[in-house]
Amino acid sequence: MYSFDVFDTLITRVTATPTGIFSLMQRKIQKNPMYQGNAYVQENFFSLRIGAEEVARNTYVRNGINEVTVEQIYGVLVAEHLLTEGQAVSLATLERETEQKAVQGIPSNIKKVKQLLEAGERVVLISDMYLDRETIQKMLGKVDPILASLPLYVSSDEEKKGKWTGELFRLVQEKEQVSWKDWHHCGDNPHSDYEVPKSLGIVCERYQPEALLEVEKEYLKGKEAEAKTQLMVGCARLARIYGKENTAYRLGCSIGGAILYPYVNWLLKDCVEKGIKRLYFIARDGFIIKELADVMIQKQGLEIETRYLYGSRMAWRIPSGENWKEELRQIYWRSYEKLIGNSTDMAAFLQVPEEKLFPYLPDAMKQPNRVWTVASVSLLLDYLLNSPSFSSLLYQVYQAKKGLLLRYLKQEIDTREEGFAFVDMAGSGFTQECLARVMREYYPGKIRNYFYRKDMVFEGICENNVFYPHRVPYYIILEMLCRAPHGQTMGYQEGEKGKMVPVLSEVDGEAIQKHGVPDFIEGARAFAE
């Protein structure tokens, strides 16, 4: 015969910890008019429920009785004049309903049960639990009807025998008429599922449940009574249980998804309120954000269309208006002031081949060992822009790039109504301002942007909506959560049948795969689901 523990072996909860169920109940109690006037219970139910169980065990677990019932637990709160009889009955019902709604299966062990049954083996379930048999069977049936059909022994049954004392195993042995040596048991508790049954002669297998990560434990400290925190951490743990075992996937579930989900949830709600129907997620940070948004839009039945827009600083910061030279200076001061140290860097900034730039450099700047300081680069930029022939060359380059960009934007962005917005992760917003300038060539309406964070405010064309207006320390780590499975957008070109397509850098393609970016994205999506 084979026996399996129930909780945290075959089934688990959507909350981070078992007591997280009480945090979900507390949230419901706070909205229930039945408890108006009993603010103490409304605000402290989580702690009161845990304490009442301890008192109930201290009161009733004696003289061969190893377990308490839900009614005895709530009876403590009645006896101590914290609840009325009616409230106690209502809360016991609510707890059972909440447990049933929050239950989730553990696929690996459910698969083992099914394989044993298919092989003709006898399987029973054993649980140390204050919940009654009927409730546990409903929970098992919700996960898989086969589980609900198996013999179930519960410590809260009439005999009140527990695994932790060995008495429940003895009761099962008597009822099932199985010898100790022919009995295999699997469970997660090191004492009641391993040490105790092993001492009786049962063959034992210890199941190691998916533990919380250290960062999740730290996040839970002082927040165990918060339903939202319990659900966030619980969903991350469940996503790991259901998915891949590699590190990238697990980090996507537990870090990427958990950090990005609140942002996406907020922006979708904001879009509904403002009547925004089309969202354009900007490469590359927008890739994973779009993945989460697509899941949430589908689950919530929202009427929002999403598109992925290939773009980058290099592709969009094009100085091409009437004051294009001043725009180029702005781009330099905002992005490249301390990044140019030689002619190769300067050519990359100006977006011209180095061989075309080199003849226009002053002789001093052509020396191979010359150190390019910030001051000298600023002077060089002015020198080049004051050169009629070189500035003419630059203008032609930028006009050509702008023409390709305009064709791509007109092809991809539906501007027939103002109900659209761009979505990005973080930054100053300057790249979007550059994009808006180009779009002014054909679209005079409102241009909205969404950001997770921005670290400065300036007057411009765009309307910027920011989730977290804060200069986040080490924000570059936040952006590193938003890698995409493709390289940077370098520009655009005409593809088949005249369709405009992005030109992507292939430099980091191998590293993207090596470091597990696709699995990380899949993990974040699993968290959202």
Short mmCIF file of all heavy atoms in Angstrom, two decimals, residues 327-372:
data_model
loop_
_atom_site.label_atom_id
_atom_site.label_comp_id
_atom_site.label_asym_id
_atom_site.label_seq_id
_atom_site.Cartn_x
_atom_site.Cartn_y
_atom_site.Cartn_z
N GLU A 327 19.28 70.34 -31.88
CA GLU A 327 18.78 69.03 -31.43
C GLU A 327 19.95 68.06 -31.25
O GLU A 327 19.98 67.27 -30.30
CB GLU A 327 17.79 68.46 -32.45
CG GLU A 327 16.46 69.21 -32.51
CD GLU A 327 15.56 68.66 -33.60
OE1 GLU A 327 15.77 67.51 -34.02
OE2 GLU A 327 14.64 69.38 -34.02
N LEU A 328 20.92 68.10 -32.17
CA LEU A 328 22.08 67.22 -32.06
C LEU A 328 22.87 67.54 -30.80
O LEU A 328 23.34 66.63 -30.10
CB LEU A 328 22.97 67.37 -33.30
CG LEU A 328 24.20 66.46 -33.35
CD1 LEU A 328 23.78 64.99 -33.37
CD2 LEU A 328 25.05 66.78 -34.57
N ARG A 329 23.00 68.83 -30.49
CA ARG A 329 23.71 69.22 -29.27
C ARG A 329 22.97 68.70 -28.03
O ARG A 329 23.58 68.27 -27.05
CB ARG A 329 23.88 70.74 -29.21
CG ARG A 329 24.87 71.29 -30.23
CD ARG A 329 25.13 72.78 -30.00
NE ARG A 329 26.13 73.29 -30.90
CZ ARG A 329 25.86 73.89 -32.08
NH1 ARG A 329 24.59 74.04 -32.46
NH2 ARG A 329 26.84 74.33 -32.84
N GLN A 330 21.62 68.77 -28.06
CA GLN A 330 20.84 68.25 -26.93
C GLN A 330 21.07 66.75 -26.74
O GLN A 330 21.24 66.26 -25.62
CB GLN A 330 19.34 68.49 -27.17
CG GLN A 330 18.89 69.93 -27.02
CD GLN A 330 17.40 70.06 -27.23
OE1 GLN A 330 16.66 69.08 -27.15
NE2 GLN A 330 16.94 71.26 -27.52
N ILE A 331 21.09 66.03 -27.85
CA ILE A 331 21.33 64.59 -27.78
C ILE A 331 22.70 64.31 -27.19
O ILE A 331 22.87 63.41 -26.36
CB ILE A 331 21.21 63.96 -29.19
CG1 ILE A 331 19.76 64.07 -29.69
CG2 ILE A 331 21.64 62.49 -29.17
CD1 ILE A 331 19.58 63.68 -31.14
N TYR A 332 23.69 65.11 -27.60
CA TYR A 332 25.04 64.93 -27.07
C TYR A 332 25.08 65.16 -25.56
O TYR A 332 25.58 64.31 -24.81
CB TYR A 332 26.01 65.89 -27.77
CG TYR A 332 27.35 65.97 -27.08
CD1 TYR A 332 28.25 64.92 -27.16
CD2 TYR A 332 27.70 67.10 -26.33
CE1 TYR A 332 29.47 64.97 -26.49
CE2 TYR A 332 28.91 67.16 -25.67
CZ TYR A 332 29.80 66.10 -25.75
OH TYR A 332 31.00 66.16 -25.10
N TRP A 333 24.52 66.28 -25.11
CA TRP A 333 24.60 66.61 -23.69
C TRP A 333 23.79 65.64 -22.83
O TRP A 333 24.15 65.35 -21.71
CB TRP A 333 24.14 68.05 -23.44
CG TRP A 333 25.12 69.07 -23.93
CD1 TRP A 333 24.98 69.93 -24.97
CD2 TRP A 333 26.44 69.31 -23.40
NE1 TRP A 333 26.11 70.70 -25.14
CE2 TRP A 333 27.02 70.34 -24.19
CE3 TRP A 333 27.18 68.77 -22.35
CZ2 TRP A 333 28.30 70.83 -23.94
CZ3 TRP A 333 28.44 69.26 -22.11
CH2 TRP A 333 28.99 70.28 -22.91
N ARG A 334 22.71 65.12 -23.37
CA ARG A 334 21.85 64.22 -22.59
C ARG A 334 22.38 62.79 -22.55
O ARG A 334 22.12 62.06 -21.59
CB ARG A 334 20.43 64.21 -23.15
CG ARG A 334 19.65 65.47 -22.84
CD ARG A 334 18.24 65.37 -23.42
NE ARG A 334 17.45 66.53 -23.08
CZ ARG A 334 16.74 66.67 -21.96
NH1 ARG A 334 16.75 65.69 -21.08
NH2 ARG A 334 16.04 67.75 -21.73
N SER A 335 23.09 62.37 -23.58
CA SER A 335 23.41 60.94 -23.67
C SER A 335 24.87 60.60 -23.88
O SER A 335 25.30 59.50 -23.52
CB SER A 335 22.60 60.31 -24.81
OG SER A 335 21.23 60.55 -24.66
N TYR A 336 25.62 61.48 -24.49
CA TYR A 336 26.96 61.06 -24.95
C TYR A 336 28.10 61.89 -24.37
O TYR A 336 29.25 61.66 -24.71
CB TYR A 336 27.03 61.15 -26.48
CG TYR A 336 26.15 60.14 -27.18
CD1 TYR A 336 24.84 60.44 -27.49
CD2 TYR A 336 26.64 58.88 -27.53
CE1 TYR A 336 24.03 59.51 -28.13
CE2 TYR A 336 25.85 57.95 -28.16
CZ TYR A 336 24.53 58.27 -28.46
OH TYR A 336 23.73 57.36 -29.09
N GLU A 337 27.78 62.82 -23.50
CA GLU A 337 28.79 63.78 -23.04
C GLU A 337 30.07 63.11 -22.53
O GLU A 337 31.18 63.54 -22.82
CB GLU A 337 28.20 64.65 -21.93
CG GLU A 337 29.19 65.65 -21.36
CD GLU A 337 28.63 66.40 -20.16
OE1 GLU A 337 27.48 66.12 -19.77
OE2 GLU A 337 29.36 67.23 -19.61
N LYS A 338 29.93 62.00 -21.80
CA LYS A 338 31.11 61.37 -21.20
C LYS A 338 31.44 60.02 -21.85
O LYS A 338 32.20 59.23 -21.30
CB LYS A 338 30.88 61.17 -19.70
CG LYS A 338 30.69 62.49 -18.94
CD LYS A 338 30.42 62.25 -17.46
CE LYS A 338 30.20 63.57 -16.72
NZ LYS A 338 29.92 63.35 -15.28
N LEU A 339 30.85 59.77 -23.02
CA LEU A 339 31.01 58.45 -23.63
C LEU A 339 31.89 58.46 -24.88
O LEU A 339 32.16 57.41 -25.45
CB LEU A 339 29.63 57.88 -24.00
CG LEU A 339 28.66 57.67 -22.84
CD1 LEU A 339 27.34 57.12 -23.36
CD2 LEU A 339 29.25 56.73 -21.79
N ILE A 340 32.34 59.64 -25.31
CA ILE A 340 33.10 59.72 -26.55
C ILE A 340 34.58 59.91 -26.22
O ILE A 340 34.98 60.90 -25.60
CB ILE A 340 32.61 60.88 -27.43
CG1 ILE A 340 31.14 60.63 -27.80
CG2 ILE A 340 33.47 61.01 -28.69
CD1 ILE A 340 30.49 61.76 -28.57
N GLY A 341 35.41 58.91 -26.61
CA GLY A 341 36.83 58.98 -26.29
C GLY A 341 37.75 58.87 -27.49
O GLY A 341 38.97 58.97 -27.35
N ASN A 342 37.17 58.69 -28.69
CA ASN A 342 37.99 58.57 -29.89
C ASN A 342 37.11 58.76 -31.12
O ASN A 342 35.89 58.99 -31.00
CB ASN A 342 38.71 57.22 -29.93
CG ASN A 342 37.74 56.06 -29.73
OD1 ASN A 342 36.68 56.02 -30.34
ND2 ASN A 342 38.12 55.12 -28.88
N SER A 343 37.71 58.66 -32.28
CA SER A 343 36.97 58.90 -33.52
C SER A 343 35.89 57.84 -33.77
O SER A 343 34.85 58.13 -34.36
CB SER A 343 37.94 58.96 -34.71
OG SER A 343 38.64 57.74 -34.84
N THR A 344 36.13 56.62 -33.30
CA THR A 344 35.13 55.56 -33.47
C THR A 344 33.86 55.90 -32.69
O THR A 344 32.73 55.76 -33.20
CB THR A 344 35.68 54.20 -32.98
OG1 THR A 344 36.86 53.89 -33.72
CG2 THR A 344 34.66 53.10 -33.18
N ASP A 345 34.03 56.37 -31.46
CA ASP A 345 32.89 56.77 -30.63
C ASP A 345 32.16 57.95 -31.26
O ASP A 345 30.93 58.01 -31.28
CB ASP A 345 33.35 57.16 -29.23
CG ASP A 345 33.95 55.99 -28.46
OD1 ASP A 345 33.66 54.83 -28.83
OD2 ASP A 345 34.71 56.24 -27.51
N MET A 346 32.93 58.90 -31.78
CA MET A 346 32.33 60.10 -32.36
C MET A 346 31.52 59.73 -33.61
O MET A 346 30.40 60.25 -33.82
CB MET A 346 33.42 61.10 -32.74
CG MET A 346 32.91 62.49 -33.08
SD MET A 346 32.19 63.28 -31.62
CE MET A 346 31.83 64.92 -32.25
N ALA A 347 32.03 58.83 -34.41
CA ALA A 347 31.31 58.41 -35.61
C ALA A 347 30.01 57.70 -35.24
O ALA A 347 28.97 57.89 -35.89
CB ALA A 347 32.20 57.49 -36.45
N ALA A 348 30.07 56.88 -34.19
CA ALA A 348 28.86 56.17 -33.75
C ALA A 348 27.81 57.17 -33.27
O ALA A 348 26.61 57.01 -33.56
CB ALA A 348 29.21 55.19 -32.64
N PHE A 349 28.23 58.19 -32.53
CA PHE A 349 27.30 59.21 -32.06
C PHE A 349 26.67 59.97 -33.23
O PHE A 349 25.46 60.18 -33.28
CB PHE A 349 28.02 60.17 -31.12
CG PHE A 349 27.34 61.50 -30.97
CD1 PHE A 349 26.06 61.59 -30.44
CD2 PHE A 349 27.97 62.68 -31.37
CE1 PHE A 349 25.42 62.82 -30.31
CE2 PHE A 349 27.35 63.90 -31.26
CZ PHE A 349 26.07 63.98 -30.72
N LEU A 350 27.48 60.35 -34.19
CA LEU A 350 26.98 61.13 -35.33
C LEU A 350 26.25 60.25 -36.35
O LEU A 350 25.57 60.77 -37.25
CB LEU A 350 28.14 61.85 -36.02
CG LEU A 350 28.86 62.91 -35.19
CD1 LEU A 350 30.11 63.40 -35.91
CD2 LEU A 350 27.92 64.08 -34.89
N GLN A 351 26.39 58.91 -36.20
CA GLN A 351 25.74 57.94 -37.09
C GLN A 351 26.25 58.05 -38.53
O GLN A 351 25.48 58.00 -39.49
CB GLN A 351 24.21 58.09 -37.03
CG GLN A 351 23.65 57.89 -35.62
CD GLN A 351 22.14 57.84 -35.59
OE1 GLN A 351 21.51 57.22 -36.45
NE2 GLN A 351 21.54 58.50 -34.60
N VAL A 352 27.57 58.22 -38.64
CA VAL A 352 28.21 58.23 -39.96
C VAL A 352 29.37 57.25 -39.92
O VAL A 352 29.93 56.98 -38.85
CB VAL A 352 28.72 59.63 -40.34
CG1 VAL A 352 27.56 60.62 -40.46
CG2 VAL A 352 29.76 60.13 -39.34
N PRO A 353 29.77 56.67 -41.05
CA PRO A 353 30.94 55.78 -41.07
C PRO A 353 32.20 56.54 -40.63
O PRO A 353 32.38 57.73 -40.96
CB PRO A 353 31.04 55.35 -42.53
CG PRO A 353 29.67 55.55 -43.08
CD PRO A 353 29.12 56.74 -42.37
N GLU A 354 33.07 55.89 -39.90
CA GLU A 354 34.26 56.55 -39.37
C GLU A 354 35.14 57.06 -40.50
O GLU A 354 35.76 58.14 -40.38
CB GLU A 354 35.04 55.58 -38.48
CG GLU A 354 36.21 56.23 -37.77
CD GLU A 354 36.90 55.29 -36.79
OE1 GLU A 354 36.51 54.09 -36.74
OE2 GLU A 354 37.82 55.73 -36.08
N GLU A 355 35.18 56.35 -41.62
CA GLU A 355 36.04 56.79 -42.72
C GLU A 355 35.56 58.09 -43.34
O GLU A 355 36.34 58.85 -43.93
CB GLU A 355 36.17 55.70 -43.79
CG GLU A 355 34.85 55.27 -44.43
CD GLU A 355 34.19 54.11 -43.71
OE1 GLU A 355 34.54 53.88 -42.52
OE2 GLU A 355 33.35 53.42 -44.32
N LYS A 356 34.25 58.37 -43.21
CA LYS A 356 33.73 59.64 -43.73
C LYS A 356 33.95 60.79 -42.75
O LYS A 356 34.04 61.95 -43.15
CB LYS A 356 32.24 59.51 -44.03
CG LYS A 356 31.94 58.65 -45.26
CD LYS A 356 30.49 58.78 -45.70
CE LYS A 356 30.25 58.01 -46.99
NZ LYS A 356 28.85 58.18 -47.48
N LEU A 357 34.01 60.45 -41.46
CA LEU A 357 34.28 61.48 -40.45
C LEU A 357 35.74 61.88 -40.43
O LEU A 357 36.07 63.08 -40.28
CB LEU A 357 33.86 60.94 -39.08
CG LEU A 357 34.34 61.74 -37.86
CD1 LEU A 357 33.68 63.12 -37.82
CD2 LEU A 357 34.04 60.98 -36.55
N PHE A 358 36.64 60.91 -40.57
CA PHE A 358 38.06 61.14 -40.31
C PHE A 358 38.66 62.31 -41.09
O PHE A 358 39.42 63.11 -40.52
CB PHE A 358 38.85 59.85 -40.59
CG PHE A 358 40.14 59.78 -39.84
CD1 PHE A 358 40.17 59.48 -38.49
CD2 PHE A 358 41.35 60.03 -40.49
CE1 PHE A 358 41.36 59.42 -37.80
CE2 PHE A 358 42.55 59.98 -39.80
CZ PHE A 358 42.55 59.67 -38.44
N PRO A 359 38.37 62.49 -42.39
CA PRO A 359 38.97 63.60 -43.12
C PRO A 359 38.61 64.98 -42.56
O PRO A 359 39.34 65.96 -42.77
CB PRO A 359 38.41 63.44 -44.54
CG PRO A 359 38.04 62.00 -44.63
CD PRO A 359 37.57 61.63 -43.28
N TYR A 360 37.49 65.08 -41.84
CA TYR A 360 37.04 66.38 -41.33
C TYR A 360 37.59 66.69 -39.94
O TYR A 360 37.39 67.80 -39.42
CB TYR A 360 35.51 66.42 -41.27
CG TYR A 360 34.86 66.43 -42.63
CD1 TYR A 360 34.44 65.25 -43.22
CD2 TYR A 360 34.68 67.62 -43.34
CE1 TYR A 360 33.86 65.23 -44.47
CE2 TYR A 360 34.10 67.62 -44.59
CZ TYR A 360 33.69 66.43 -45.16
OH TYR A 360 33.11 66.43 -46.40
N LEU A 361 38.29 65.74 -39.33
CA LEU A 361 38.83 65.98 -38.00
C LEU A 361 40.05 66.90 -38.07
O LEU A 361 40.85 66.81 -39.02
CB LEU A 361 39.25 64.65 -37.35
CG LEU A 361 38.16 63.64 -37.02
CD1 LEU A 361 38.79 62.37 -36.42
CD2 LEU A 361 37.15 64.22 -36.04
N PRO A 362 40.23 67.77 -37.08
CA PRO A 362 41.46 68.57 -37.00
C PRO A 362 42.66 67.62 -36.87
O PRO A 362 42.52 66.51 -36.33
CB PRO A 362 41.28 69.40 -35.73
CG PRO A 362 39.80 69.39 -35.47
CD PRO A 362 39.29 68.09 -35.98
N ASP A 363 43.80 68.04 -37.35
CA ASP A 363 44.98 67.18 -37.33
C ASP A 363 45.30 66.68 -35.93
O ASP A 363 45.70 65.52 -35.75
CB ASP A 363 46.19 67.95 -37.89
CG ASP A 363 46.04 68.20 -39.39
OD1 ASP A 363 45.25 67.46 -40.04
OD2 ASP A 363 46.70 69.12 -39.90
N ALA A 364 45.10 67.53 -34.92
CA ALA A 364 45.43 67.14 -33.55
C ALA A 364 44.56 65.97 -33.09
O ALA A 364 45.00 65.11 -32.32
CB ALA A 364 45.24 68.33 -32.60
N MET A 365 43.30 65.92 -33.58
CA MET A 365 42.37 64.87 -33.15
C MET A 365 42.61 63.55 -33.90
O MET A 365 42.05 62.52 -33.55
CB MET A 365 40.92 65.30 -33.35
CG MET A 365 40.56 66.61 -32.66
SD MET A 365 40.73 66.53 -30.86
CE MET A 365 39.22 65.69 -30.41
N LYS A 366 43.47 63.61 -34.95
CA LYS A 366 43.76 62.40 -35.70
C LYS A 366 44.91 61.60 -35.10
O LYS A 366 45.16 60.46 -35.50
CB LYS A 366 44.11 62.76 -37.15
CG LYS A 366 42.95 63.35 -37.93
CD LYS A 366 43.38 63.74 -39.34
CE LYS A 366 42.25 64.35 -40.13
NZ LYS A 366 42.68 64.76 -41.50
N GLN A 367 45.62 62.20 -34.15
CA GLN A 367 46.75 61.52 -33.54
C GLN A 367 46.25 60.32 -32.72
O GLN A 367 45.32 60.46 -31.90
CB GLN A 367 47.52 62.49 -32.62
CG GLN A 367 48.11 63.66 -33.38
CD GLN A 367 48.72 64.69 -32.44
OE1 GLN A 367 48.81 64.47 -31.24
NE2 GLN A 367 49.12 65.84 -33.00
N PRO A 368 46.82 59.15 -32.92
CA PRO A 368 46.30 57.91 -32.29
C PRO A 368 46.34 57.93 -30.76
O PRO A 368 45.53 57.29 -30.11
CB PRO A 368 47.19 56.81 -32.86
CG PRO A 368 48.43 57.51 -33.34
CD PRO A 368 47.98 58.87 -33.78
N ASN A 369 47.30 58.65 -30.17
CA ASN A 369 47.43 58.67 -28.71
C ASN A 369 46.77 59.87 -28.06
O ASN A 369 46.92 60.09 -26.86
CB ASN A 369 48.91 58.62 -28.31
CG ASN A 369 49.58 57.33 -28.76
OD1 ASN A 369 48.96 56.27 -28.76
ND2 ASN A 369 50.84 57.43 -29.17
N ARG A 370 46.06 60.65 -28.86
CA ARG A 370 45.43 61.86 -28.32
C ARG A 370 44.30 61.48 -27.35
O ARG A 370 43.45 60.64 -27.66
CB ARG A 370 44.86 62.70 -29.46
CG ARG A 370 44.06 63.93 -29.03
CD ARG A 370 44.94 64.95 -28.29
NE ARG A 370 44.16 66.07 -27.84
CZ ARG A 370 44.06 67.24 -28.51
NH1 ARG A 370 44.70 67.38 -29.65
NH2 ARG A 370 43.33 68.21 -28.03
N VAL A 371 44.29 62.10 -26.17
CA VAL A 371 43.22 61.88 -25.19
C VAL A 371 42.09 62.84 -25.47
O VAL A 371 42.28 64.06 -25.49
CB VAL A 371 43.75 62.09 -23.76
CG1 VAL A 371 42.62 61.95 -22.75
CG2 VAL A 371 44.86 61.09 -23.44
N TRP A 372 40.89 62.31 -25.70
CA TRP A 372 39.70 63.13 -25.99
C TRP A 372 38.99 63.44 -24.67
O TRP A 372 38.35 62.57 -24.08
CB TRP A 372 38.75 62.40 -26.94
CG TRP A 372 39.26 62.27 -28.35
CD1 TRP A 372 40.54 62.09 -28.75
CD2 TRP A 372 38.47 62.32 -29.53
NE1 TRP A 372 40.63 62.02 -30.10
CE2 TRP A 372 39.36 62.15 -30.63
CE3 TRP A 372 37.12 62.46 -29.80
CZ2 TRP A 372 38.93 62.14 -31.95
CZ3 TRP A 372 36.69 62.45 -31.11
CH2 TRP A 372 37.58 62.30 -32.18
#
